[in-house]
Amino acid sequence: MKSFKDFAIWKDVDNKQWENWKWQISHCINSLEELSQVVNLTDKEYEGVEEATKALKMRISPHIALMMANGNEGDTLRRQFIPSINEVKTSDIDILYSDVNDDDGYSPVKGLVHRYPTKVLIFPSNFCGCYCRYCFRRKLKRDVEDTLKRNDYEAIFEYLKSHPQINEVIFSGGDPLVVDDDVFRYILEELSHISNIRVVRFHTRMVITVPYRISDDFVGLLQEYKSRFAIYIVIHIDTIREFSEESKKAVCKLVDNGFMCFASCPLLHKINDDEETLKTLWNGLIENRVKPYYLFQSDPVQGLGHFLVPLSRGLEITRNLYDNISGLAMPLYCFNVPNGGGHVLITYPYIRQVGEHKFELTNFEGKVTEYQELIWNEEE
């Protein structure tokens, strides 16, 4: 197992720097020259980096780059983070969309998306610790990495105050945790004075890509507000391969201090589109006190055609897994309906109506039972 000190690119780096999340963020690999110093690239990977980064720049944290360096040519980490020529080849397919969620159409003020009645998304930043090559928000302009400003937040707070039906704020993005603790202290303090906000969620990949972000200071900051909000952390993780010892320590810090952790991932071709990979991931997560929350059907976005998994295969996978793992380990299987249609649940038809008040029930063994519902009209 190679250490970061074995690579010339990091020869002057000490342990304190390496474990500093701000150092990790500011020293991400974003050029072919830097990546080739860490990973033995194939000819196809060279071509992918040269061509695909014209549409979406490359950003790989040192932590992830080192994990790739200790992997092999077929490592799923490489497929997730190294640009592929297939991004170019699938960038102009008629049935794919440029924007599945239509975030702009539901954004009444900058940095906030209000698609569902009682919850909103807030995007503190437009960039992440790493750029996943299958990102469904590829349209975000990342040539200039930016964060919200004070006046943006003031407009967001006014919007939340004027919509008392909103009780939940979800920080997403771009990864929200690229933002400094001082900014989150300001945000959480202001939210604490808005009486209708009762739940705060952080959706982040940083637990995986830059696990050092879950510092004692950050956890201490969250603790200052956990009596005011219910605070949850939703971790984006696609395979158990990504769950490093550093990531496990980050999860322990959060859970041991009272912050429940959930996990979500998209279904991705040649990364996690088989029963064994997902079973290993979800069992590994619950063993580490992380509840699998969402499995998303592959998003039909321009440039991501090579990551798409047929919906029929997704149904088959989830049906097979439901029979063979704990209910704790089973997430909700969802689809982002194109053009801002929102989430819909995708389920195997365990219950089928076959007549008026008559249903067929199929159990985990495939046994079919007929069920007749009783409609009772009580006499006055």
Side-chain angles (χ1 to χ4, degrees):
M1 183 72 69
K2 293 179 182 178
S3 161
F4 69 87
K5 295 178 181 178
D6 295 325
F7 296 88
I9 191 174
W10 299 313
K11 63 182 177 62
D12 297 323
V13 178
D14 59 32
N15 287 336
K16 186 175 181 180
Q17 287 175 299
W18 183 265
E19 294 175 4
N20 183 303
W21 73 270
K22 292 184 179 180
W23 181 92
Q24 287 269 336
I25 289 290
S26 62
H27 288 81
C28 283
I29 288 174
N30 51 38
S31 72
L32 187 54
E33 179 185 2
E34 291 174 324
L35 185 59
S36 61
Q37 292 181 58
V38 182
V39 181
N40 292 322
L41 299 171
T42 66
D43 291 342
K44 283 188 177 181
E45 287 171 332
Y46 265 104
E47 183 185 17
V49 174
E50 288 178 335
E51 297 299 323
T53 50
K54 294 174 183 176
L56 174 63
K57 67 189 288 187
M58 177 173 64
R59 192 181 226 279
I60 302 174
S61 69
H63 173 76
I64 290 293
L66 179 60
M67 289 183 71
M68 285 195 290
N70 282 306
N72 54 42
E73 195 175 297
D75 193 343
T76 53
L77 283 177
R78 294 166 79 132
R79 188 167 172 83
Q80 291 179 66
F81 296 109
I82 296 179
S84 166
I85 192 63
N86 288 324
E87 295 173 42
V88 179
K89 293 178 179 178
T90 64
S91 63
D92 192 25
I93 297 177
D94 289 343
I95 63 171
L96 300 182
Y97 297 79
S98 62
D99 181 10
V100 168
N101 284 0
D102 188 23
D103 289 332
D104 292 343
Y106 294 95
S107 182
V109 295
K110 182 180 178 181
L112 178 144
V113 172
H114 189 183
R115 178 63 185 90
Y116 302 96
T118 63
K119 61 186 178 182
V120 297
L121 295 175
I122 295 178
F123 298 159
S125 74
N126 72 341
F127 68 100
C128 307
C130 284
Y131 289 157
C132 303
R133 303 315 302 181
Y134 50 81
C135 180
F136 68 90
R137 289 195 172 105
R138 290 173 70 88
K139 74 180 190 68
L140 283 177
K141 301 299 182 185
R142 294 186 173 97
D143 293 336
V144 177
E145 295 174 342
D146 198 14
T147 58
L148 293 182
K149 305 300 184 287
R150 187 79 167 227
N151 61 313
D152 299 322
Y153 286 117
E154 289 173 354
I156 287 171
F157 300 144
E158 287 304 313
Y159 184 85
L160 295 175
K161 290 174 186 176
S162 66
H163 291 77
Q165 76 272 26
I166 298 169
N167 70 343
E168 182 175 10
V169 166
I170 303 168
F171 292 106
S172 187
D175 201 300
L177 293 192
V178 299
V179 172
D180 287 352
D181 289 352
D182 288 346
V183 176
F184 274 118
R185 177 170 276 104
Y186 160 68
I187 297 170
L188 293 174
E189 181 62 27
E190 292 297 320
L191 288 177
S192 73
H193 299 300
I194 304 175
S195 60
N196 45 297
I197 304 304
R198 305 303 303 164
V199 179
V200 171
R201 250 196 271 171
F202 291 88
H203 281 232
T204 181
R205 188 100 156 106
M206 292 277 277
V207 173
I208 302 304
T209 59
V210 187
Y212 310 108
R213 178 62 182 95
I214 310 303
S215 63
D216 292 340
D217 288 343
F218 178 69
V219 174
L221 169 61
L222 296 185
Q223 286 181 311
E224 292 177 29
Y225 291 94
K226 71 178 182 181
S227 63
R228 173 60 183 84
F229 313 110
I231 298 177
Y232 300 90
I233 312 296
V234 181
I235 302 162
H236 177 170
I237 177 171
D238 302 324
T239 64
I240 204 67
R241 164 79 174 101
E242 301 148 53
F243 205 26
S244 65
E245 290 304 312
E246 293 83 0
S247 295
K248 292 176 183 178
K249 289 177 183 176
V251 166
C252 283
K253 261 186 201 179
L254 291 165
V255 177
D256 288 346
N257 284 283
F259 302 106
M260 292 180 64
C261 289
F262 295 81
S264 68
C265 70
L267 190 60
L268 300 165
H269 183 51
K270 292 187 177 179
I271 292 177
N272 61 10
D273 60 334
D274 66 89
E275 287 85 347
E276 190 57 35
T277 298
L278 288 175
K279 181 178 179 181
T280 302
L281 170 63
W282 294 336
N283 280 337
L285 287 171
I286 60 169
E287 288 166 11
N288 283 275
R289 300 179 292 173
V290 178
K291 169 71 178 84
Y293 178 39
Y294 275 139
L295 171 68
F296 287 104
Q297 175 61 20
S298 317
D299 285 307
V301 174
Q302 297 281 358
L304 307 187
H306 54 302
F307 286 117
L308 301 185
V309 178
L311 183 55
S312 57
R313 176 61 180 139
L315 280 165
E316 180 182 36
I317 290 171
T318 52
R319 174 70 174 90
N320 291 340
L321 287 174
Y322 183 79
D323 298 349
N324 292 293
I325 61 175
S326 164
L328 281 173
M330 199 70 194
L332 298 171
Y333 183 26
C334 292
F335 198 109
N336 277 330
V337 178
N339 293 322
H343 294 171
V344 295
L345 292 177
I346 307 169
T347 60
Y348 180 86
Y350 293 97
I351 300 176
R352 186 168 69 93
Q353 188 164 5
V354 293
E356 186 177 11
H357 308 307
K358 186 178 291 186
F359 299 82
E360 284 184 351
L361 315 178
T362 303
N363 76 349
F364 73 98
E365 297 168 321
K367 180 181 177 182
V368 177
T369 301
E370 187 175 279
Y371 170 73
Q372 178 78 40
E373 65 179 357
L374 173 65
I375 306 299
W376 178 257
N377 293 314
E378 187 172 354
E379 295 181 1
E380 295 292 338

